[in-house]
Amino acid sequence: MKPTDIRDPEFFHRVIDCQYACPAHTPVPEYIRLIAQGRYDEAYLINWESNVFPGVLGRTCDRPCEPACRRGRVDEEPVAICRLKRVAADYRNEERIRARLPKAHRRKNGKKVALVGAGPASLTVARDLAPLGYELHLFDDQAKAGGFMRSQIPAFRLPEEVLDTEVGYILELGVVTHFKRYVESLRELLEADYDAIFVGTGAPRGRDLKNLPGRKEADPYVHIGIEWLASVAFGHVESIAKRVIVLGGGNTAMDCCRTARRLGGEDVKVIVRSPFAEMKASPWEKEDAMNEGIPIIDNHVPKEFVVENGRLVGMRFEKVRAVYDDEGRRSLVPTGEPPAFYPCDEVIIAIGQENAFPWIERDVGVVFDKWGLPVLDKETFQSTNPKVFFGGDAAFGPANIITAVAHGHQAAISIHLFLSGRSVHDRPPPQVNLVSQKMGIHEWSYDNEVDDDDRYRVPHADLEVALRDRRVEVELGFDPATAYREAERCLNCDVQTVFTAERCIECDACVDICPTDCINFVEDEEDEAALRKKLRAPADNLDQPLYVGGPLKTGRIMVKDENVCLHCGLCAERCPTAAWDMQKFLYNVTKAAPLCSL
Amino acid sequence: MTYIRPNFRHPALPRNELGYTRRDYEGALSTLCAGCGHDSVSGAIIQACFELAIPPHRVGKLSGIGCSSKTPTYFLGRSHGFNTVHGRMPSVATGAALANRELVYIGVSGDGDTASIGLGQFAHVIRRNLDMLYIVENNGCYGLTKGQDSATADVGSASKKGVPNPYPPIDLCAMALDLGATFVARSFSGDKRQLVPLIKAGIAHRGFAFIDVISPCVTFNNTPQSTKSYDYVREHLASTGTLDFVPVRQEITADYEAGYTEEVTLHDGSVIHLYKEPDLDVHDRHAALRAIREHKEAGRILTGLLYVDPDSADLHEVLQTVKTPLRDLTAKELCPGSRALDAINASKR
Ligand SMILES: Cc1cc2nc3c(=O)[nH]c(=O)nc-3n(C[C@H](O)[C@H](O)[C@H](O)COP(=O)(O)OP(=O)(O)OC[C@H]3O[C@@H](n4cnc5c(N)ncnc54)[C@H](O)[C@@H]3O)c2cc1C
Ligand SMILES: Cc1ncc(C[n+]2csc(CCOP(=O)(O)OP(=O)(O)O)c2C)c(N)n1
Ligand code: SF4
Ligand code: SF4
Ligand code: SF4
Ligand SMILES: [Mg+2]
């Protein structure tokens, strides 16, 4: 095997599981250490630079980082990364943060960019481009910026002030806003004097069950989930009947049922086609809903709205079970039992959203594929009309906030390259830094001791109080002392074990000391699969790289399976020749402009 | 700052027949110098006991004084242990083995502890063929007392102090062979592939099993002028061939390489497979002595299994002790009463 080239930044990046899994590649362990040190402002700014909405995301992020977290592979549960992000937001000093944020650019660069839709994608583009002097025009049909973060995510998960503050940081950079303005025509924008256009209009159409018997007759009692949530958010709907059925198994369904409980729904049920375990909603969302007394009834396919005397009285369902073919594809097969009837007064349909671009003419050079999505370059987000860029849910279909942010960063770079007359493919490499943490034989400038603590739970508001008012936030966040304990659970996976083959005398000390059997000295093999079979402990997690060093004096090679390395530094402490060293690897996705000094 | 080993372990570690992982055979975190060969020997003992699926509480580990003699603290944390006075491990081991013949006895000593102050005890424990594994972690110096040349240092070899050693060395394997040891091997701490099966065979062997393990002292005796440094030993290694140990319980179908040239069946039915390159008859004591000397003259260190006599009578057999461990005998068995005494006396008249 070829020795690992650690100069390739992606090698060590991959070892930092959480950061690698984060669509915006937030330097997670770096901010977690800062939280442990009580340096909340710096922790906040690191987040702000990467993910733009730390306070929002610290409450609502889909957190792909957590299932990826290495701690989850050696301990029962991963680090509560997302809730630690909120800690940085909760305890930051607002005044000091404002002083360190970039200011509106005084001299404009003469280029004008239109941003359609004011969700997280457009807001990210705005933030990244503003410091470069662009004149930014933000359009949205709502009265305020935030997109779905404002209209969809209920206040009991995301207080409005939190959103207002973080949206404010961006708008204060000198963005020209055009609210309550639905953009009717892309052609019009193209004909106006914009140098580039970013489309961040999301996936605004909720799916319906148009063809289900009784749907038309039941219409006054049936709501489309995202429309209903927006009406609640904007105060147009303030109550619901006592018996409510929510159809669907995603996060929207969870928000609908929990909102219904707060607006007067007493008997609220979620009824979903798929088996419970395969529902799209995150496990914690399901848990929260069930904690609020909402049963989730799975394996039920809606068949009919039952209307009597013009009133909806309930719904009929067919019971099914999941059957899988050889390739693991699922089909829902009727069990043959008689249909189940559930009485109800109102129904909320939360079975997914679709993209819709009624305002984009099909002859302005933006080509759409057969699914109605724009044809884009996956790296640059440029459409087939070089002036038009897409991002967020509008680009590849509904995802989440952090994905919209990640798109926004890349689209901003593309727009900047495009308007500077450079190739949009001329992407800047990430900024990286690798520094030894050694201070003494047993001393490192990071806390290398591995704590045994189980994951800490975030306290919740009293259920009765929470159900009385839809604006009462349910999760209360960690107090600083608990935040410290939780932060100490982080394994510091960004502090890398760096191997210098020339120094190794093959004494085996590192092999013997390593608590998780990562390190091996073995005869070389042609391919990785053969090498994996020879290691001390099973190396069958193929998502995790092998670090290969050598050949050494005996002709053997060093092979480290990165999978469950605790980054404890014991190998480096035990190595007599400092062939191992613990070095902190900072990896930052380059943004369109430098933002704040850290 | 850590002197604490994390408690997390690889989630998919293999388990032995007892359901234990290798980690259940660990001891406390070593306080020896980073890179000390002795820690590797501890690692090999852990591996061997794990693979043999020995219940940790069925092991007695004994040692004298020295860095090497400290190591029983760093392996088999759930076994019985005794750190004796410098050079006196054999007599305590003899007492322990007589009192409870049911434990597996592993003695760990140093070249100072064995070849200097303990030479007398060493000679006698060999003669008595005590059923134990005796490992010397041989670094050619007194590590614990800051690296003075030991009695196994070669002439001309110089430690960190830089003064060449003027005295001829004691070859502990040759001495053990001479005194009638029934299992003699030499190995290198940096070669676990050889050392682990040797330890397993030594444990399975009935009678006195001796392994001289060259185990470099990184701090005081890993110099370019030393003949016990990592580099020197690696460059001058010769081997009697590789070996595998096949325990009784295991079917021979396991993934042991084919093509062994000799099979030695030990007293308990377990088997050593030898894959020999230079031809050495491991049942010929003289041949072993000759091979050691010839290699030495050629400037090489001969490692591997040198000699084994699987069917020797160990101390218990020689003394005809009862099968029940002495410590389990009660007053009833030990004082059979006046009638029995009368009978014995009558038989002597
Ligand atoms: C109920 C629900 C709960 C969710 N909860 C979470 C969560 O907890 N965590 C998470 O990460 N994600 C969540 N999501 C997903 C998340 O909200 C979206 O993925 C994200 O907001 C997409 O961002 P965006 O910038 O692409 O567009 P959006 O946030 O959708 O914003 C688009 C904006 O453009 C406006 N617009 C559309 N067309 C036009 C036009 N022609 N002219 C002017 N304005 C227009 C829309 O009104 C909207 O304000 C949730 C989604 C829903 C439906
Ligand atoms: C009776 C007695 N004499 C002398 C000493 C001092 N002493 C301690 S360890 C040691 C030598 C140890 O050498 P070795 O057995 O080779 O162990 P190493 O440290 O090299 O592993 C000596 C002389 C002692 N502890 N007790
Ligand atoms: S332990 Fe810490 S650094 Fe490692 S993956 Fe988890 S959060 Fe990231
Ligand atoms: S830092 Fe070194 S000793 Fe610790 S787990 Fe990783 S490889 Fe093993
Ligand atoms: S501890 Fe250092 S010198 Fe020894 S084998 Fe490991 S890397 Fe090599
Ligand atoms: Mg010594």
Side-chain angles (χ1 to χ4, degrees):
Chain A
M1 290 266 301
K2 268 219 256 109
T4 303
D5 181 7
I6 60 166
R7 285 167 313 177
D8 173 359
E10 290 310 314
F11 181 78
F12 283 146
H13 185 200
R14 235 177 115 186
V15 174
I16 316 171
D17 292 314
C18 44
Q19 179 171 10
Y20 192 66
C22 174
H25 304 310
T26 305
V28 174
E30 177 75 353
Y31 82 69
I32 290 184
R33 273 190 301 274
L34 289 166
I35 288 170
Q37 293 164 23
R39 292 167 66 192
Y40 305 120
D41 292 351
E42 285 85 353
Y44 183 85
L45 288 173
I46 284 182
N47 272 292
W48 188 78
E49 173 158 354
S50 295
N51 53 53
V52 191
F53 304 100
V56 172
L57 288 166
R59 292 168 166 83
T60 63
C61 189
D62 258 357
R63 17 177 163 151
C65 53
E66 292 192 18
C69 173
R70 174 164 284 113
R71 180 103 188 182
R73 296 198 292 277
V74 292
D75 194 0
E76 275 161 29
E77 286 186 275
V79 175
I81 301 170
C82 185
R83 272 36 187 173
L84 286 171
K85 189 194 309 295
R86 171 173 172 177
V87 165
D90 283 356
Y91 301 113
R92 74 188 193 272
N93 179 305
E94 180 63 12
E95 225 170 284
R96 285 201 298 264
I97 292 289
R98 279 188 184 275
R100 291 170 76 170
L101 293 181
K103 305 281 169 295
H105 208 282
R106 264 166 305 166
R107 244 187 306 148
K108 294 288 170 201
N109 68 10
K111 301 260 162 59
K112 239 173 117 173
V113 179
L115 308 162
V116 189
S122 288
L123 288 169
T124 300
V125 177
R127 190 208 61 175
D128 285 6
L129 290 183
L132 294 166
Y134 287 95
E135 188 182 321
L136 302 161
H137 290 259
L138 182 66
F139 296 87
D140 199 288
D141 55 346
Q142 296 178 19
K144 280 173 147 188
F148 270 19
M149 298 189 291
R150 189 176 294 284
S151 65
Q152 297 296 314
I153 302 183
F156 58 81
R157 288 206 290 125
L158 175 62
E160 207 177 349
E161 316 80 75
V162 175
L163 181 62
D164 285 344
T165 311
E166 291 187 334
V167 167
Y169 290 164
I170 300 165
L171 299 186
E172 283 159 32
L173 293 173
V175 179
V176 185
T177 57
H178 307 265
F179 291 146
K180 297 190 181 167
R181 216 2 243 288
Y182 183 81
V183 174
E184 305 275 358
S185 156
L186 179 59
R187 174 173 290 115
E188 263 171 45
L189 281 188
L190 285 165
E191 283 167 3
D193 58 346
Y194 295 108
D195 297 289
I197 295 164
F198 177 78
V199 180
T201 50
R205 186 175 289 169
R207 287 222 183 91
D208 200 347
L209 290 168
K210 277 265 176 315
N211 301 324
L212 213 62
R215 171 68 184 88
K216 226 198 239 138
E217 296 77 1
D219 196 53
Y221 309 100
V222 177
H223 315 281
I224 301 299
I226 64 170
E227 290 168 11
W228 183 75
L229 284 172
S231 306
V232 174
F234 298 133
H236 307 317
V237 168
E238 284 172 348
S239 68
I240 195 161
K242 290 207 163 47
R243 297 178 306 168
V244 181
I245 290 178
V246 176
L247 300 176
N251 289 341
T252 306
M254 298 304 116
D255 281 341
C256 287
C257 67
R258 297 178 69 195
T259 303
R261 277 291 271 138
R262 287 160 171 79
L263 297 193
E266 284 167 13
D267 169 12
V268 180
K269 293 186 182 68
V270 171
I271 304 186
V272 52
R273 293 156 46 99
S274 61
F276 183 84
E278 289 173 30
M279 287 168 61
K280 289 221 179 72
S282 322
W284 54 88
E285 303 256 11
K286 294 195 273 187
E287 205 178 288
D288 287 344
M290 291 186 298
N291 283 344
E292 295 181 356
I294 301 166
I296 296 176
I297 298 161
D298 64 348
N299 294 320
H300 277 62
V301 176
K303 279 290 154 203
E304 185 187 357
F305 293 90
V306 183
V307 180
E308 284 173 10
N309 306 324
R311 274 197 76 86
L312 176 71
V313 293
M315 281 195 76
R316 238 186 279 288
F317 296 85
E318 181 174 53
K319 292 198 196 171
V320 293
R321 70 193 151 81
V323 177
Y324 305 87
D325 69 9
D326 292 345
E327 273 141 55
R329 272 184 308 230
R330 187 190 78 185
S331 47
L332 297 174
V333 181
T335 61
E337 291 166 80
F341 176 78
Y342 286 94
C344 68
D345 307 314
E346 292 190 55
V347 171
I348 302 172
I349 304 178
I351 56 171
Q353 309 146 241
E354 284 164 353
N355 289 83
F357 301 97
W359 58 282
I360 298 184
E361 296 81 356
R362 301 295 131 140
D363 60 353
V364 289
V366 177
V367 176
F368 287 84
D369 64 17
K370 61 178 175 197
W371 296 282
L373 288 170
V375 173
L376 302 176
D377 181 312
K378 291 220 154 37
E379 189 189 34
T380 66
F381 295 87
Q382 193 172 37
S383 75
T384 46
N385 179 333
K387 268 174 95 169
V388 181
F389 300 80
F390 282 72
D393 288 359
F396 309 117
N400 50 38
I401 301 169
I402 190 67
T403 303
V405 168
H407 291 177
H409 289 315
Q410 293 310 316
I413 289 171
S414 302
I415 292 170
H416 184 46
L417 290 170
F418 176 66
L419 296 185
S420 314
R422 286 158 63 194
S423 161
V424 287
H425 296 287
D426 195 6
R427 317 297 295 177
Q431 291 155 346
V432 293
N433 189 7
L434 186 65
V435 186
S436 177
Q437 302 295 294
K438 199 175 179 71
M439 306 218 308
I441 294 177
H442 292 280
E443 260 179 298
W444 304 97
S445 47
Y446 73 108
D447 186 357
N448 63 324
E449 203 179 310
V450 177
D451 285 43
D452 290 341
D453 301 21
D454 290 337
R455 180 176 168 123
Y456 289 87
R457 308 268 146 231
V458 179
H460 280 202
D462 179 68
L463 186 60
E464 235 176 88
V465 177
L467 289 183
R468 233 178 280 143
D469 180 355
R470 71 172 175 92
R471 287 176 206 276
V472 170
E473 189 173 15
V474 172
E475 286 199 12
L476 302 177
F478 285 130
D479 58 54
T482 315
Y484 171 75
R485 299 295 328 161
E486 185 61 33
E488 286 296 286
R489 294 182 71 236
C490 174
L491 298 172
N492 303 290
C493 302
D494 60 341
V495 182
Q496 307 289 347
T497 55
V498 177
F499 182 71
T500 309
E502 298 69 43
R503 292 212 188 112
C504 175
I505 57 170
E506 297 174 70
C507 69
D508 267 7
C510 52
V511 177
D512 294 326
I513 198 70
C514 176
T516 43
D517 297 275
C518 306
I519 303 172
N520 304 268
F521 292 93
V522 292
E523 311 297 333
D524 203 352
E525 289 288 343
E526 288 283 308
D527 69 308
E528 189 177 311
L531 205 50
R532 281 182 179 270
K533 290 215 183 69
K534 289 170 82 168
L535 307 187
R536 277 164 72 80
D540 36 25
N541 183 351
L542 300 183
D543 292 339
Q544 290 287 321
L546 296 182
Y547 182 177
V548 176
L552 305 163
K553 269 194 199 141
T554 57
R556 298 183 301 176
I557 53 170
M558 186 290 297
V559 184
K560 182 189 168 211
D561 180 7
E562 294 285 358
N563 184 19
V564 289
C565 170
L566 303 172
H567 300 261
C568 66
L570 284 182
C571 49
E573 287 187 22
R574 297 306 287 176
C575 178
T577 61
W580 285 112
D581 190 23
M582 304 308 291
Q583 302 188 5
K584 184 166 91 178
F585 179 67
L586 276 183
Y587 178 104
N588 253 308
V589 176
T590 303
K591 310 294 181 313
L595 289 157
C596 42
S597 49
L598 280 169
Chain B
M1 179 126 88
T2 17
Y3 297 95
I4 308 162
R5 192 183 357 225
N7 291 323
F8 293 116
R9 298 291 177 263
H10 195 290
L13 278 184
R15 294 186 178 273
N16 64 17
E17 285 128 77
L18 298 176
Y20 292 134
T21 70
R22 182 165 56 227
R23 298 303 179 179
D24 295 311
Y25 293 82
E26 283 174 351
L29 196 62
S30 170
T31 58
L32 300 182
C33 305
C36 176
H38 300 354
D39 282 332
S40 287
V41 182
S42 298
I45 294 173
I46 289 169
Q47 183 70 27
C49 291
F50 159 75
E51 288 177 12
L52 289 175
I54 299 176
H57 68 286
R58 305 305 295 161
V59 178
K61 27 172 207 175
L62 299 112
S63 64
I65 297 290
C67 297
S68 36
S69 293
K70 283 174 70 177
T71 62
T73 306
Y74 314 136
F75 60 81
L76 300 180
R78 300 181 204 170
S79 301
H80 308 277
F82 201 122
N83 278 97
T84 74
V85 180
H86 201 14
R88 269 59 172 176
M89 178 259 278
S91 52
V92 176
T94 308
L98 285 176
N100 185 358
R101 61 185 299 169
E102 283 184 345
L103 296 189
V104 170
Y105 290 98
I106 301 175
V108 175
S109 178
D111 43 324
D113 195 62
T114 291
S116 296
I117 194 168
L119 198 63
Q121 295 225 342
F122 180 60
H124 295 289
V125 77
I126 296 171
R127 287 179 55 245
R128 287 174 176 152
N129 200 23
L130 186 68
D131 186 11
M132 75 176 298
L133 168 65
Y134 190 119
I135 293 175
V136 166
E137 296 177 351
N138 186 351
N139 52 16
C141 70
Y142 300 167
L144 192 72
T145 53
K146 305 278 175 281
Q148 299 84 349
D149 294 334
S150 79
T152 64
D154 291 311
V155 176
S157 176
S159 69
K160 192 174 167 192
K161 206 170 164 206
V163 184
N165 166 49
Y167 308 113
I170 294 175
D171 187 308
L172 288 170
C173 285
M175 188 177 160
L177 283 164
D178 229 17
L179 291 168
T182 52
F183 179 110
V184 179
R186 178 169 282 145
S187 191
F188 171 45
S189 65
D191 185 2
K192 284 210 185 75
R193 199 185 287 178
Q194 181 192 58
L195 182 54
V196 172
L198 278 178
I199 292 174
K200 286 158 75 175
I203 289 173
H205 172 73
R206 188 183 65 165
F208 188 75
F210 177 67
I211 310 178
D212 178 30
V213 185
I214 318 257
S215 172
C217 171
V218 269
T219 302
F220 297 109
N221 204 11
N222 195 31
T223 60
Q225 312 87 340
S226 165
T227 59
K228 297 246 178 344
S229 67
Y230 279 105
D231 281 351
Y232 183 93
V233 176
R234 280 224 168 85
E235 276 157 28
H236 295 81
L237 274 185
S239 154
T240 62
T242 54
L243 73 159
D244 272 335
F245 177 80
V246 187
V248 213
R249 276 168 269 110
Q250 195 148 351
E251 288 200 34
I252 317 269
T253 53
D255 53 347
Y256 294 106
E257 284 170 52
Y260 49 89
T261 49
E262 197 183 338
E263 189 174 78
V264 183
T265 306
L266 296 181
H267 189 81
D268 65 358
S270 54
V271 173
I272 304 172
H273 287 167
L274 292 166
Y275 307 82
K276 287 193 287 191
E277 289 121 33
D279 235 350
L280 174 72
D281 178 359
V282 293
H283 304 292
D284 183 340
R285 202 176 279 280
H286 300 290
L289 280 164
R290 224 178 304 122
I292 293 173
R293 205 178 50 238
E294 281 166 12
H295 278 83
K296 172 117 192 130
E297 277 162 10
R300 287 194 303 267
I301 306 160
L302 182 63
T303 63
L305 181 63
L306 299 169
Y307 175 76
V308 61
D309 172 5
D311 301 313
S312 67
D314 77 331
L315 184 60
H316 280 291
E317 201 175 328
V318 171
L319 294 178
Q320 293 185 301
T321 50
V322 287
K323 289 277 181 282
T324 317
L326 296 187
R327 57 131 206 194
D328 290 344
L329 298 179
T330 63
K332 199 167 127 246
E333 290 92 20
L334 291 171
C335 306
S338 49
R339 200 158 346 130
L341 183 62
D342 290 345
I344 293 170
N345 283 341
S347 75
K348 303 288 178 199
R349 287 205 177 95

